[in-house]
Amino acid sequence: MNIQLGDIGHIIQLAIAPVFLLSGVCTNLIVLTNRLARIIDRSRVLEDRLDIAYSEAYINELDVMYRRSHLINYSIALSTACGLMICLVIAMLFLGDIANIALENYIAGMFVFSVFCLIGSFCYLLREIFIASAAMRSHRHVRRDPTKQPV
């Protein structure tokens, strides 16, 4: 178990790509948690308004918020799983070289699995964005021409 400085440098070079991916996943998690926080805040406002008076519009918007929050939660779970797998890949890179264990297949499998988790996370995020956009378009107010008298 004689570790050379060149070996450690090579391992660090191999670990740079997963570390960059990990920083991207962390940025994605920040975006997701901010979206979830906005959904939760809006849901609380709607629930408070419903406590005062019943409104079908508030109920419908609250249903959309619940659907969006579920999608964001799935996306957060997949991004977190991706981050965990990337951390394990980096640890296995060092462990495999230090202990002289052949972990290449496991490392490759975990990296591919982490990329699939990231793809799934982006798919859930995209679906949530589509739902938010559709809800925004459905609540669009019709502008009236101020020169015309109401009928």
Side-chain angles (χ1 to χ4, degrees), residues 31-92:
V31 169
L32 294 171
T33 54
N34 284 338
R35 290 186 73 84
L36 181 61
R38 291 184 60 103
I39 291 168
I40 290 170
D41 290 344
R42 180 65 182 156
S43 296
R44 285 181 182 156
V45 167
L46 291 171
E47 288 170 352
D48 289 343
R49 289 180 182 175
L50 281 170
D51 287 341
I52 296 169
Y54 179 83
S55 170
E56 193 66 35
Y58 293 157
I59 294 289
N60 292 337
E61 188 176 350
L62 201 55
D63 287 342
V64 170
M65 292 294 155
Y66 289 152
R67 285 184 23 223
R68 288 179 58 197
S69 70
H70 287 299
L71 292 171
I72 288 294
N73 283 330
Y74 291 140
S75 186
I76 289 172
L78 286 171
S79 284
T80 304
C82 176
L84 176 66
M85 292 297 130
I86 292 170
C87 289
L88 289 173
V89 163
I90 294 167
M92 289 173 69

Side-chain angles (χ1 to χ4, degrees), residues 14-26:
L14 290 175
I16 286 176
V19 168
F20 279 123
L21 181 58
L22 186 61
S23 68
V25 169
C26 291

Side-chain angles (χ1 to χ4, degrees), residues 120-133:
S121 174
F122 286 144
C123 288
Y124 279 114
L125 173 62
L126 189 61
R127 181 67 185 133
E128 187 271 336
I129 290 170
F130 287 157
I131 290 173
S133 297

